[in-house]
Amino acid sequence: MLAIQLAIKNLLGAGLRTWLNVAVLSFAFVVIVFYNGMLDGWNRQALKDTREWEVGNGQLWHPAYDRYDPFSLQEAHAPLSGEVVSLVQRKQLTPVLITQASAYPKGRMINIVLKGIDPDQQMLKLPTSLLKEDSGEIPALIGKRMAQSARLKTGDKVLVRWRDKNGTFDAREIHIAGVFDANVPSVDNGQFWIPLGNLQQMTGMENEATLLVAANTHTVQKTGIWEARDLDFLLKEFNEIMDSKKGSSKVIYFLLLAIALLAIFDTQVLSVFRRQKEIGTYIALGMTRAEVVRIFTVEGSAHSFLALLLGALYGIPFLAYLAKTGIPMPKSAGEAGIAISDSIIPVYSAGMVVTTILLVVITATVVSYFPARRISSMKPTEALKGKIQ
Amino acid sequence: MKKLILLLFTCFIVYQANSQDAQTILTKVDQNMSSTNRISESSMTIHGKRSSRTLTSKTWAVGTKKSYTEYLSPASEQGTKMLKLENQLWIFSPSTDRIIQISGHLLRQSVMGSDLSYEDMMEDRKLTDIYTAKISGEEKIEDRTCNVLELTSKVADVAYYSQKIWVDAERFVPLKQELYAKSGQQLKLVELKDVKQIDGRWFPTTVIYKDILKGGKGTEMKMMDIKFDQPIPDHVFSKASLKQ
Amino acid sequence: MIRFLLKGILGDKSRSLLPVIVVCIGVSLTVLLNCWLKGVMGESLVMNANFDTGHVKVMTRAYAQEAQQMPNDLAILGADTLTEQLKKTYPDMDWVKRIRFGGMIDFPDEQGETRAQGPVVGWAVDLLSAGSKEATRFNIKKSLVNGKLPSTAGEALITHDFAEKFKVNPGDEFTLFGSTMEGSMAFKNFVVSGTVRFGSNVLDRGAIIIDMADAQQALGMEDAAGEILGYFTTNQYDNAKATAITTSFNAKYTQNTDEFAPVMLRLRDQGGMAEYIDYSTTMGSLMVFVFVLAMSVVLWNTGLLGGLRRYTEFGVRLALGEEKNHIYATLIYEGILIGTIGSVIGTGIGLSISYYLQEVGVDIGGSMKNSTLMMPSVVRAAITPTAFYIGFIPGIFSVVLGNALAGIGIYKRKTAQLFKELE
């Protein structure tokens, strides 16, 4: 207790120098929390978007389906069996049928995939209710990226050619019923969403699907021929990307923290050097060397406590403001294949903040200890005289 | 492709149109088709976005199931050979000395940048096997009176659900063909011209094939020489002959 | 005087060693962070430039419209002449021809018939000419898993995962089967010289890299190229320069209505890179600024401490009759010297570590499938011209400022008090 009181007194007594160190350390602290908060926020938002727009609570796949191989689509479809049908009826699953096609917007030909989905589904955020229009035409939803690359907009008509299950060509004008703005590129790039019934009828694949998306109340497990693909599987790459982001950001924290710690280290070395008389006095007063080392260490690490206080002082309003307004992100970042919204709402979890606090305090203590350790090798008589050792 | 074209080329006049119904016409055409061995030399002109080029080739065919084609010119294609047996296709390229099988989705690719796919080329069934026909009227194409037949597929695995075919009422040669998707959307247009009498048959020696959706000037085929009922030894239709 | 001070600094370790070390560490951290941020922020930019966009790219207008479909029938004809022209007109850029293509790879069995086939995306780049930087741009040497780089015509690199799937090893032969510029069938035999892994699953699923001359021959594209890319010799994208070059190049063709006339696009103009560049530049600069600020505070503190702990010395010097101004001036000079020595050494250390991180990188094991931007699993630092001076800002400026502040105390000193202290 004495050590802490002394430490605080000494620190505050040193005035400007202490506050400079504290300012830098608090800055490192706030930036680390900010950066982690941003990544966690991004992670959470992207995860939420990906689940809401694309993967649901997992999916059931036709065994032949490979999401990266469009040629697999020719084989990857099967009728829904009894058990699956009942899950679909209970709104635990929603079927999606996928087939390759070509679209001919304004004389150009582009390869697309047609995805059939129930217009009444509520599981995915896709605005499928727009597909319920009754104009006798096949309505389609496309994402903003698709709209941009094909130069299509709501109300446009585009000729689409596909083949049915037997390979017979068919072609129809499809009416763009809506353009949706999703942060998830993988429900957008190169895709047309049309009513499931239409696609089943168009391809002659009555009651068939390529995959089924699970509702939040349903846990996927192998059902009949349908392979269960849980979130770990579906979000594997997503998680890898997040890990890679976290990996590279760690280097930044490390450097930032290193700077702050350098300041404390520097101060400590000088304190020990300049305050030899004081050290001698402590020892003369009957303190053991270890106790003196402790006083100095505590004094150094007290920087971190002050930094936490100072950081809280300006950091809390700053971080709270960002949590309210979000951090703007570039639109094109979404083209990297990962969900990203126009602004990220950072998330500051208690665990992350506590970890950061511990990180700052412990590292500050460690760098404070090393210079202070020199004290234990001092001769008190010399120290008292203030002689440099 | 060759099959389809040959099928059109070998449309044969036996009966007078007005005394026959559409189905009979088609049957006769198919009968003539399947009984024919032939050796032909033809050219194919492909109009690209920037330039056009012409390939020539020689084809040996027996029935509808077996055919063997060798490209003669231009120099870059010379010696390239294709062998079709039933529904399998192999290509030999002399520059690499390799026989490569074309299968799966590759069959849906365009042949030599033309408006035909390998699959179009592979179609070898008789019209009567895949379509039912009815006469929908009479029209004139370049002063020739034609019966217009509407063909609708009666089997599932056919590339074009329906066709409209203009058959010369006297010579029984198709002069125009429109290929449709199930929805009624036209996909391809085939025009057959320069009808000549060869070995006692009337025969269109120019065929222009257009992909309606793709646009462009289409692909033009000219039959330079065709001989029917020639003896063709069976070893021609083997992979070994590709490398010779 | 400088020599005298330098002697003092070198001789009196207690006065110089610690500040120099601290400045040195601080400066090297600043340099390192600058390079790291530039590297991380610019990573996908560099990848995109190297693999796809160049710093500027020349295509025909028609090709540019459909560039994603790799429409080689719309490629630049007379590409050699155009490349020579570009080299002459814009000599401070490296101009390279490239062809991107799609095709099938067909692996033969013992009879030379098809054993297996797989679809690939391909790049034709100049691998064989002396002095070509293309292999470096594709980072081939480091991506090589087995075998070696192509050293003669007819050799190709294929991605490792693809090779494994089809059980192929370096030395094996295969046929590339695609379509020529005119649309005819293209066949060419290649020998696998090596297998590569780029860390981008999009590519690793099936890609082939062959030499430009081989591709031109195989695809019937003699004297043609899909794209001509220009790279600044500094390897850094300079938007102002790119804009100037693009404007002057395109101006020559404004009267030309031919859809096959060449058109030049900046990196910025391609594939939604504009916002990404703006964002990463802003964020990167902001972070570097904040970091330099933090570092300045730390080093200022060092300077301050360095000055403060020498009050006794100043007292003695004042007592000896030295002018206050003179002492103050020497203090400032010393600050400059210490700052300079620390900054030079620190920048050296920072650059060396950055260089290591630039060349070797840190493998963070993440990668992306299904993406249009390529995302590497190895994060690297990037040494930019800024890195050479950025460290001097906190290094010299802050130390001097610290010393200057500490030195103010000199003027407050009273001689009487000094003698007291001396006792």
Side-chain angles (χ1 to χ4, degrees):
Chain A
M1 203 54 221
L2 173 73
I4 293 170
Q5 275 177 353
L6 262 174
I8 299 287
K9 236 175 212 166
N10 278 333
L11 274 182
L12 296 178
L16 183 63
R17 279 179 294 139
T18 301
W19 289 112
L20 283 177
N21 287 338
V22 166
V24 173
L25 192 59
S26 77
F27 179 74
F29 169 60
V30 172
V31 168
I32 293 172
V33 171
F34 160 76
Y35 215 89
N36 270 318
M38 184 179 90
L39 283 177
D40 283 349
W42 183 5
N43 195 350
R44 196 175 286 195
Q45 166 258 324
L47 206 65
K48 181 166 164 276
D49 284 351
T50 308
R51 287 188 58 177
E52 284 178 355
W53 283 93
E54 188 186 10
V55 301
N57 194 35
Q59 295 180 337
L60 290 178
W61 283 10
H62 186 278
Y65 179 61
D66 175 350
R67 58 180 151 171
Y68 300 117
D69 180 7
F71 299 124
S72 76
L73 295 171
Q74 214 168 319
E75 304 298 325
H77 54 86
L80 301 177
S81 57
E83 196 184 345
V84 175
V85 171
S86 85
L87 283 165
V88 171
Q89 277 161 355
R90 282 186 281 138
K91 296 206 184 297
Q92 297 302 301
L93 290 172
T94 194
V96 176
L97 179 64
I98 311 174
T99 190
Q100 269 192 290
S102 309
Y104 296 84
K106 297 173 185 93
R108 296 189 303 143
M109 190 194 98
I110 48 176
N111 293 320
I112 58 165
V113 292
L114 289 175
K115 288 190 169 176
I117 188 162
D118 179 6
D120 290 316
Q121 66 84 26
Q122 303 281 325
M123 251 168 252
L124 298 178
K125 222 172 160 183
L126 293 160
T128 47
S129 58
L130 292 171
L131 295 176
K132 283 194 271 189
E133 62 167 37
D134 189 24
S135 60
E137 286 168 313
I138 300 171
L141 283 176
I142 56 173
K144 57 177 180 179
R145 296 171 189 81
M146 180 78 223
Q148 200 185 0
S149 71
R151 287 171 233 157
L152 288 169
K153 56 184 189 305
T154 305
D156 280 357
K157 284 178 184 169
V158 61
L159 188 68
V160 172
R161 192 195 67 182
W162 68 95
R163 286 168 180 262
D164 72 7
K165 63 175 173 190
N166 300 309
T168 305
F169 280 117
D170 205 349
R172 286 274 290 274
E173 283 221 305
I174 282 185
H175 171 245
I176 305 298
V179 176
F180 59 86
D181 183 352
N183 299 323
V184 186
S186 43
V187 296
D188 179 338
N189 285 332
Q191 303 173 28
F192 276 46
W193 291 87
I194 65 172
L196 180 65
N198 285 68
L199 188 59
Q200 288 175 333
Q201 183 236 321
M202 282 155 62
T203 52
M205 299 175 192
E206 299 295 340
N207 193 34
E208 294 196 15
T210 302
L211 57 88
L212 297 109
V213 182
N216 285 333
T217 46
H218 182 70
T219 311
V220 287
Q221 50 192 349
K222 190 168 166 37
T223 314
I225 60 155
W226 302 92
E227 302 278 356
R229 302 292 184 206
D230 59 10
L231 289 175
D232 282 347
F233 176 90
L234 295 167
L235 299 169
K236 184 169 164 277
E237 281 138 31
F238 172 83
N239 291 332
E240 280 173 6
I241 293 161
M242 276 300 153
D243 286 348
S244 96
K245 294 246 176 247
K246 285 191 175 154
S248 65
S249 66
K250 270 186 192 128
V251 176
I252 295 169
Y253 314 153
F254 166 76
L255 291 175
L256 202 57
L257 203 58
I259 284 191
L261 296 177
L262 178 66
I264 295 177
F265 184 79
D266 186 26
T267 310
Q268 283 294 104
V269 171
L270 276 163
S271 303
V272 172
F273 178 81
R274 287 190 66 220
R275 289 156 61 190
Q276 300 204 36
K277 276 188 190 170
E278 186 185 333
I279 295 166
T281 312
Y282 286 139
I283 297 172
L285 285 174
M287 278 191 187
T288 62
R289 287 190 182 88
E291 276 170 329
V292 181
V293 170
R294 200 164 75 217
I295 289 177
F296 275 75
T297 306
V298 168
E299 197 178 308
S301 67
H303 280 105
S304 62
F305 291 103
L306 291 174
L308 295 179
L309 287 176
L310 182 67
L313 204 67
Y314 67 82
I316 288 173
F318 170 68
L319 296 175
Y321 172 77
L322 284 178
K324 211 177 135 203
T325 58
I327 304 156
M329 295 301 281
K331 286 207 178 68
S332 61
E335 279 165 39
I338 180 167
I340 180 166
S341 61
D342 295 345
S343 73
I344 287 175
I345 304 292
V347 174
Y348 317 108
S349 67
M352 183 268 285
V353 174
V354 169
T355 313
T356 313
I357 290 175
L358 285 177
L359 179 74
V360 169
V361 172
I362 291 170
T363 49
T365 308
V366 170
V367 295
S368 303
Y369 170 70
F370 281 100
R373 211 175 46 162
R374 264 189 58 183
I375 294 168
S376 58
S377 61
M378 281 181 179
K379 288 192 185 112
T381 46
E382 299 287 308
L384 258 176
K385 285 186 200 156
K387 279 204 177 148
I388 294 159
Q389 295 179 357
Chain B
M1 163 199 77
K2 290 284 178 287
K3 286 295 128 200
L4 185 66
I5 300 315
L6 279 165
L7 171 136
L8 302 169
F9 275 130
T10 51
C11 283
F12 205 63
I13 317 150
V14 178
Y15 285 87
Q16 287 174 319
N18 47 9
S19 66
Q20 295 300 322
D21 65 7
Q23 202 59 41
T24 318
I25 298 170
L26 227 49
T27 309
K28 285 298 167 190
V29 165
D30 284 337
Q31 278 171 359
N32 293 321
M33 276 287 308
S34 55
S35 63
T36 316
N37 286 5
R38 66 213 156 248
I39 302 173
S40 61
E41 253 186 81
S42 62
S43 72
M44 176 160 78
T45 304
I46 297 158
H47 300 285
K49 255 191 170 161
R50 294 171 124 168
S51 61
S52 300
R53 67 209 164 91
T54 302
L55 296 94
T56 60
S57 60
K58 189 169 182 180
T59 300
W60 291 258
V62 171
T64 58
K65 301 284 183 204
K66 295 181 191 174
S67 84
Y68 177 88
T69 302
E70 181 174 352
Y71 285 86
L72 306 174
S73 74
S76 59
E77 308 293 348
Q78 197 185 350
T80 301
K81 295 165 192 167
M82 281 193 211
L83 173 66
K84 192 213 117 174
L85 295 175
E86 302 276 338
N87 51 3
Q88 286 183 290
L89 182 68
W90 293 271
I91 296 179
F92 170 76
S93 94
S95 65
T96 58
D97 196 34
R98 286 284 321 277
I99 295 169
I100 287 170
Q101 184 167 10
I102 306 292
S103 57
H105 64 91
L106 269 183
L107 287 170
R108 297 184 170 184
Q109 307 285 317
S110 134
V111 180
M112 301 273 185
S114 69
D115 285 357
L116 289 111
S117 67
Y118 292 101
E119 209 178 38
D120 285 337
M121 203 175 80
M122 303 279 287
E123 180 58 77
D124 56 11
R125 288 171 297 184
K126 300 171 185 176
L127 285 176
T128 45
D129 284 347
I130 47 181
Y131 293 112
T132 55
K134 70 169 207 250
I135 297 179
S136 70
E138 227 178 58
E139 273 177 39
K140 277 203 167 180
I141 293 177
E142 289 175 5
D143 296 334
R144 302 294 307 174
T145 307
C146 294
N147 286 312
V148 185
L149 303 192
E150 277 180 12
L151 311 184
T152 311
S153 71
K154 59 182 179 189
V155 292
D157 55 335
V158 57
Y160 305 100
Y161 178 77
S162 64
Q163 300 196 8
K164 215 168 167 184
I165 177 166
W166 282 253
V167 183
D168 188 308
E170 274 177 54
R171 297 169 178 169
F172 280 85
V173 177
L175 297 181
K176 189 166 129 182
Q177 225 176 333
E178 290 177 352
L179 311 182
Y180 290 93
K182 215 170 185 173
S183 62
Q185 168 70 44
Q186 187 181 348
L187 298 173
K188 289 189 176 162
L189 170 69
V190 188
E191 290 176 290
L192 306 100
K193 295 174 176 173
D194 303 329
V195 180
K196 287 175 188 163
Q197 207 166 20
I198 301 163
D199 291 351
R201 310 156 199 246
W202 286 103
F203 207 81
T205 54
T206 301
V207 179
I208 300 164
Y209 208 94
K210 272 186 197 166
D211 185 326
I212 298 287
L213 302 184
K214 207 167 96 177
K217 282 180 269 181
T219 300
E220 190 177 312
M221 267 157 298
K222 277 184 189 288
M223 193 61 71
M224 298 180 299
D225 183 36
I226 183 160
K227 291 193 183 85
F228 296 98
D229 303 318
Q230 300 290 315
I232 303 172
D234 216 40
H235 68 77
V236 169
F237 304 105
S238 68
K239 281 197 258 178
S241 73
L242 282 172
K243 280 203 172 190
Q244 280 161 10
Chain C
M1 187 173 79
I2 289 177
R3 186 174 293 179
F4 170 75
L5 289 174
L6 201 61
K7 234 178 198 166
I9 289 169
L10 293 178
D12 179 2
K13 291 233 172 87
S14 71
R15 161 161 92 172
S16 57
L17 194 64
L18 188 70
V20 169
I21 287 174
V22 172
V23 171
C24 192
I25 295 173
V27 168
S28 57
L29 285 175
T30 309
V31 172
L32 193 58
L33 184 99
N34 178 67
C35 294
W36 180 257
L37 274 174
K38 282 272 156 32
V40 172
M41 290 284 182
E43 191 82 42
S44 49
L45 209 64
V46 172
M47 282 280 278
N48 265 277
N50 283 345
F51 277 78
D52 183 16
T53 62
H55 291 141
V56 296
K57 187 198 262 184
V58 181
M59 295 168 276
T60 66
R61 288 172 188 165
Y63 186 103
Q65 289 276 313
E66 292 171 43
Q68 280 167 331
Q69 320 255 351
M70 303 184 272
N72 282 324
D73 53 327
L74 312 175
I76 302 167
L77 299 177
D80 294 344
T81 324
L82 184 59
T83 310
E84 283 315 306
Q85 267 175 22
L86 286 164
K87 279 182 183 161
K88 215 174 278 171
T89 325
Y90 311 105
D92 53 345
M93 292 191 86
D94 188 22
W95 295 97
V96 291
K97 287 172 286 185
R98 293 233 184 123
I99 298 174
R100 299 193 59 184
F101 57 91
M104 296 287 291
I105 283 183
D106 184 291
F107 299 103
D109 61 12
E110 277 113 55
Q111 277 77 46
E113 291 183 25
T114 299
R115 169 172 69 85
Q117 285 176 338
V120 284
V121 288
W123 272 274
V125 299
D126 182 0
L127 291 174
L128 300 178
S129 336
S132 167
K133 293 178 190 150
E134 293 285 83
T136 321
R137 287 194 188 106
F138 277 75
N139 199 20
I140 291 174
K141 244 177 225 160
K142 277 161 211 146
S143 311
L144 214 56
V145 181
N146 279 327
K148 58 179 186 55
L149 265 76
S151 52
T152 59
E155 289 192 326
L157 290 165
I158 58 175
T159 44
H160 188 72
D161 298 356
F162 185 80
E164 269 193 339
K165 187 170 155 195
F166 292 102
K167 301 186 183 65
V168 182
N169 293 304
D172 289 353
E173 201 168 307
F174 66 85
T175 305
L176 177 67
F177 169 45
S179 102
T180 66
M181 183 175 176
E182 286 185 313
S184 289
M185 284 178 276
F187 299 92
K188 188 164 168 60
N189 286 344
F190 286 95
V191 173
V192 179
S193 75
T195 61
V196 289
R197 187 180 278 133
F198 290 116
S200 152
N201 287 332
V202 193
L203 296 184
D204 289 342
R205 289 179 68 80
I208 175 172
I209 297 180
I210 56 178
D211 183 59
M212 191 67 191
D214 280 338
Q216 287 181 319
Q217 191 227 322
L219 305 176
M221 293 182 72
E222 282 85 3
D223 198 19
E227 307 167 345
I228 300 173
L229 305 188
Y231 291 93
F232 293 114
T233 38
T234 56
N235 238 345
Q236 300 293 326
Y237 177 65
D238 180 336
N239 195 47
K241 266 196 207 163
T243 310
I245 290 172
T246 308
T247 314
S248 87
F249 180 83
N250 289 335
K252 288 185 240 172
Y253 297 95
T254 42
Q255 303 301 318
N256 192 333
T257 52
D258 183 5
E259 70 169 319
F260 297 106
V263 60
M264 191 187 280
L265 294 180
R266 297 174 297 174
L267 167 65
R268 244 190 109 80
D269 304 325
Q270 301 175 48
M273 296 307 288
E275 278 187 78
Y276 186 80
I277 293 173
D278 291 345
Y279 185 80
S280 60
T281 313
T282 315
M283 282 302 276
S285 313
L286 191 72
M287 289 188 76
V288 169
F289 171 75
V290 157
F291 195 81
V292 167
L293 201 73
M295 198 66 237
S296 300
V297 171
V298 171
L299 294 185
W300 173 24
N301 194 5
T302 307
L304 196 62
L305 287 170
L308 288 176
R309 58 185 265 253
R310 291 170 58 194
Y311 267 28
T312 323
E313 178 201 324
F314 297 149
V316 175
R317 282 164 68 179
L318 281 173
L320 289 173
E322 203 175 333
E323 282 286 321
K324 279 182 178 172
N325 282 347
H326 186 258
I327 296 176
Y328 193 70
T330 54
L331 186 65
I332 302 290
Y333 278 129
E334 269 185 38
I336 294 174
L337 282 173
I338 287 172
T340 310
I341 295 169
S343 299
V344 169
I345 300 173
T347 302
I349 294 173
L351 285 175
S352 329
I353 301 175
S354 301
Y355 181 74
Y356 174 80
L357 289 178
Q358 175 177 294
E359 295 306 302
V360 180
V362 179
D363 193 341
I364 44 182
S367 56
M368 271 176 160
K369 258 183 190 168
N370 203 19
S371 69
T372 45
L373 275 172
M374 279 168 255
M375 197 55 183
S377 62
V378 175
V379 176
R380 296 171 194 283
I383 295 175
T384 58
T386 326
F388 289 87
Y389 66 78
I390 188 107
F392 287 80
I393 299 173
I396 296 179
F397 176 74
S398 307
V399 172
V400 172
L401 187 71
N403 274 3
L405 278 176
I408 293 172
I410 296 168
Y411 294 99
K412 292 184 189 155
R413 298 218 127 181
K414 302 218 168 71
T415 321
Q417 222 177 331
L418 282 175
F419 284 105
K420 242 188 203 168
E421 276 182 25
L422 276 176
E423 287 156 11

